[in-house]
Amino acid sequence: MSNGKKTVVIIGGGITGITTAYYLQKEIKENGLAIECKLVEATHRLGGKIQTVVKDGFVIERGPDSFLARKLSASRLVNEVGLSDQLVHNATGKSYILVKGKLYPMPGGSVMGIPTQIGPFVTTGLFSPIGKLRAAADFILPPTKTEGDISLGQFFRRRLGDEVVENLVEPLLSGIYAGDIDQLSLMATFPQFFHVEQKHGSLILGMKQSTPKPKQGHTSPKGIFQTLKTGLQSLVEEIENRLEPGSVLKGLRVEKIEKKEFDYELTLSNSEIMRADAIVVATPHQAVPAMFSQYEFFAPFNHMPATSVATVALAFPEAAIQHDIDGTGFVVSRNSDYTITACTWTHKKWPHTAPKGKVLLRCYVGRAGDEAIVEQADDEIVKVVMDDLNKIMNITASPEFSIVTRWKQAMPQYVVGHKERLEKIKEKMTEQLPGVFLAGSSYEGLGIPDCIDQGEEAVKKVLHYLQSGTKEVIEVS
Ligand SMILES: Cc1cc2nc3c(=O)[nH]c(=O)nc-3n(C[C@H](O)[C@H](O)[C@H](O)COP(=O)(O)OP(=O)(O)OC[C@H]3O[C@@H](n4cnc5c(N)ncnc54)[C@H](O)[C@@H]3O)c2cc1C
C-alpha cells in the first residue's frame, strides 16, 4: 500500500484495458475510494487492435471498423466520452457471397446464414436442389444430443448439410473469427443457436420465430453496426484524455508477476518493480503464461490458437472501377480459388470514409489454416488482392495508395472446450492468485462491445475483492 491507498494495475492498453481503467477511475473519483489505478502498456500507444489512419480525406481502419449496435456497452462508452455526435450506422445494402468464382446475393431473411424465410432459399442459385433438400432435413431432425461442447461445423453440418454450411454459414461465421468452423466451439461462440435448436427442434423454425420482424412502413432500416465518423481511434483518444494524469505507463512491458505475502510484485521491461493489491490482465492470452511462469495452470494458453490476418485498404478514383456492383461487400467461401477472404466496399457501407468521387475498398487475407500470405511483402499482398478483385470488378488503374496491416496471431480461436478450460483456469486463479482477473478478447467474446463488457465486469470484480478484504478503500476524500 502506498499513501494508505490500494493499488490496482491494469496490464494492456487495448479497448479492454482502457475501459477497465476509465470505469475504475470513475468509481474511485465518484465514491472517493482510496485506490490508485495504473495502466501499463507495452507499446507507445493505447488502443491495441484499434488503429485509424486519416489520410487525404479518407478514414481508414487498420483493425476493427465498427461494432454491433445491439450490444449497448460500446455506444454507452462513446456517449460517456462525449462522442455521440460522431456515431453513425452503416448504410444498408446488398451483400454477397463469392462461391466458386461467382457472386451471389445473400438470400433474404438469412440470419448468420440460417434461413428464416423459405422463398429466397428456394430460389437462390447458391445451392443445388440436393443441397436445398438436405437443408430441409432441419425440419424433421431431432435436436442435437450432446453432453458437452461440439464444433460449430458439427452442429450446422448435421442440421443443414455440408453445402449450405460451406457456401453460406461457414464464410459468414468464420469471417468473424477468421477461424475454422470445424474447430470453433459452439458453446463459446454462438450458444444461442444451440438453445434455439433445443427449444424449437428445428433451427430454421426457431430462428424464424426468434428473429424480430421488420416494422411496417420502415423502408430504410438502420444498419446493424455503428462506428465513429472520426475513426474508432478517436474513442481511444477521448478515453485516454480522461484518464488520471500520470496513471498510464506506455512503452513498458510487464515481464513477470510474483505473489508476495499480502500483494503482488510486477517486474517491468525496464527492470523496475511495481507493486499491486489487485491486477487486471487485459493482454492477449499468449502473454499470460510468461508473466506467471511459476503457475503451470496457465499452460493451456500456450496451446490456444490465434489466427494471423492482414487488412488491405485500397483507394481509387471512382472511374477506375469498371464493374461497379450494387452493394456493400462480399465474403468468400473456402471452396473459391481466391486469396481474399472478404471485401468491404467501404465507401458505400461507410460513406464518411472516402471523399466524394473516390472509392475505398478494404479486403482481408488470411484465415485458419491459410495464413502464409500474411507473411508476404506489402507489394506482393497488394498484387494478390488486386488480381482477385480484378476477376470480379475489373479495376483498370493501380490504387492511389494502399495500406497493408498485418495482425499476427491476433484473432484468438475459441476452439471446442474453450469455456471449460477457461473456467478451470479461473478457479485456480481464485485459489492461488486472489485479486488477479483476466479480461479481453481471448476469453469471453472478441467483439469490441464484448471487450468493453469484460472491462466493466473486471472493475466490479476488483472493487468487490478490495472491499471484501478490507474496509480501508471506502474513504471520503
Ligand atoms: C483485423 C481485425 C478486425 C476486427 N474487426 C472487428 C470489428 O469490425 N468489430 C469488432 O467488434 N471487433 C473486431 N475485431 C476484434 C477486436 O478488434 C478485438 O478483439 C479487440 O480490439 C481486442 O481488444 P483487447 O483490449 O482485448 O486486446 P488488444 O487490442 O490486443 O490489446 C492488448 C494490449 O496489451 C498489450 N500487451 C500485451 N502484452 C503486454 C505486456 N506483457 N505488458 C503490457 N502490455 C501488454 C498490447 O500491446 C496491446 O496493446 C477485429 C480484430 C482484428 C484483428
Side-chain angles (χ1 to χ4, degrees):
M1 212 187 306
S2 58
N3 321 321
K5 290 185 174 182
K6 295 277 179 188
T7 304
V8 178
V9 176
I10 298 157
I11 309 171
I15 188 66
T16 310
I18 61 174
T19 300
T20 312
Y22 172 79
Y23 282 119
L24 182 56
Q25 293 190 358
K26 191 177 170 198
E27 285 286 330
I28 295 171
K29 237 180 277 166
E30 287 180 359
N31 298 306
L33 303 179
I35 301 175
E36 195 175 30
C37 162
K38 300 259 183 206
L39 173 70
V40 186
E41 164 54 43
T43 67
H44 290 275
R45 62 173 290 280
L46 297 187
K49 288 172 185 119
I50 298 180
Q51 282 186 36
T52 312
V53 177
V54 178
K55 181 182 161 74
D56 303 344
F58 291 89
V59 180
I60 296 166
E61 299 291 356
R62 286 178 175 271
D65 71 349
S66 57
F67 48 83
L68 264 176
R70 72 179 159 76
K71 297 190 172 180
L72 299 176
S73 55
S75 51
R76 198 170 58 235
L77 185 57
V78 165
N79 292 341
E80 277 271 338
V81 298
L83 283 173
S84 43
D85 55 339
Q86 299 300 327
L87 209 48
V88 281
H89 283 263
N90 61 295
T92 54
K94 273 192 206 159
S95 51
Y96 296 83
I97 321 233
L98 189 87
V99 175
K100 296 183 183 147
K102 196 172 163 206
L103 278 183
Y104 294 88
M106 191 82 67
S110 56
V111 176
M112 294 286 207
I114 298 140
T116 63
Q117 292 169 23
I118 308 303
F121 269 77
V122 172
T123 52
T124 181
L126 200 48
F127 325 112
S128 68
I130 291 175
K132 291 174 191 174
L133 264 179
R134 171 60 186 86
D138 173 67
F139 294 120
I140 49 170
L141 280 170
T144 308
K145 279 203 190 88
T146 168
E147 293 291 297
D149 199 5
I150 54 172
S151 72
L152 282 172
Q154 192 182 342
F155 177 74
F156 283 112
R157 286 180 197 282
R158 175 174 175 272
R159 292 236 64 94
L160 302 171
D162 288 343
E163 199 179 329
V164 169
V165 167
E166 276 154 30
N167 291 2
L168 183 60
V169 178
E170 197 278 341
L172 289 176
L173 295 192
S174 69
I176 299 168
Y177 289 89
D180 175 349
I181 63 163
D182 292 313
Q183 307 283 327
L184 288 174
S185 149
L186 174 65
M187 296 308 179
T189 58
F190 297 100
Q192 64 271 36
F193 293 137
F194 176 71
H195 298 309
V196 162
E197 185 235 32
Q198 294 290 309
K199 185 171 169 204
H200 298 270
S202 153
L203 191 57
I204 298 175
L205 293 177
M207 290 303 291
K208 191 177 165 66
Q209 282 182 32
S210 49
T211 306
K213 299 201 172 35
K215 288 197 185 109
Q216 288 287 320
H218 277 239
T219 42
S220 54
K222 275 187 181 165
I224 61 168
F225 299 104
Q226 284 179 305
T227 197
L228 292 168
K229 279 189 270 178
T230 38
L232 288 175
Q233 193 166 298
S234 57
L235 173 61
V236 174
E237 286 159 3
E238 286 304 325
I239 295 172
E240 186 171 5
N241 289 341
R242 283 161 177 76
L243 296 180
E244 283 295 312
S247 66
V248 179
L249 285 81
K250 292 186 210 169
L252 285 174
R253 175 176 294 278
V254 175
E255 294 195 329
K256 190 167 152 200
I257 302 172
E258 281 179 288
K259 181 161 171 15
K260 298 292 167 187
E261 197 177 351
F262 300 110
D263 58 8
Y264 292 93
E265 255 182 31
L266 292 80
T267 308
L268 307 185
S269 44
N270 63 357
S271 306
E272 264 180 39
I273 305 281
M274 269 180 110
R275 56 158 304 283
D277 297 288
I279 300 173
V280 177
V281 185
T283 66
H285 64 277
Q286 298 97 324
V288 177
M291 284 189 281
F292 291 99
S293 54
Q294 62 280 51
Y295 294 91
E296 285 193 358
F297 61 81
F298 286 116
F301 289 153
N302 288 323
H303 311 288
M304 178 174 163
T307 309
S308 299
V309 298
T311 57
V312 183
L314 303 160
F316 299 93
E318 254 171 17
I321 313 294
Q322 296 289 297
H323 181 203
D324 189 22
I325 300 161
D326 172 30
T328 54
F330 60 90
V331 290
V332 182
S333 73
R334 276 183 187 260
N335 54 26
S336 292
D337 188 20
Y338 279 68
T339 304
I340 55 173
T341 58
C343 173
T344 307
W345 296 317
T346 307
H347 60 296
K348 294 186 181 177
K349 186 169 181 181
W350 302 108
H352 66 276
T353 59
K356 221 174 157 21
K358 302 284 180 179
V359 163
L360 179 63
L361 309 180
R362 199 174 83 132
C363 296
Y364 272 84
V365 294
R367 59 176 144 201
D370 195 6
E371 298 162 68
I373 179 73
V374 179
E375 300 296 331
Q376 301 293 314
D378 284 11
D379 289 356
E380 184 55 32
I381 294 179
V382 171
K383 185 180 171 306
V384 167
V385 168
M386 285 297 298
D387 286 349
D388 276 358
L389 287 179
N390 264 325
K391 291 185 221 161
I392 312 159
M393 299 173 68
N394 194 9
I395 304 174
T396 51
S398 300
E400 287 179 356
F401 66 86
S402 57
I403 297 179
V404 176
T405 311
R406 288 175 192 72
W407 294 105
K408 292 201 183 164
Q409 300 195 341
M411 304 294 266
Q413 302 292 296
Y414 299 177
V415 296
V416 174
H418 174 82
K419 279 180 116 173
E420 289 79 4
R421 281 189 294 276
L422 188 58
E423 269 325 300
K424 277 194 192 136
I425 290 173
K426 283 186 180 171
E427 272 167 28
K428 293 278 184 201
M429 288 175 73
T430 312
E431 282 165 20
Q432 299 182 35
L433 296 168
V436 179
F437 304 99
L438 297 174
S441 52
S442 293
Y443 311 112
E444 289 171 63
L446 54 72
I448 290 173
D450 304 308
C451 293
I452 294 172
D453 287 340
Q454 292 177 68
E456 290 190 54
E457 200 50 42
V459 172
K460 287 187 200 148
K461 287 180 189 159
V462 163
L463 289 177
H464 180 261
Y465 170 74
L466 291 178
Q467 291 173 343
S468 60
T470 168
K471 301 262 181 280
E472 283 171 74
V473 293
I474 306 174
E475 222 176 59
V476 179
S477 53

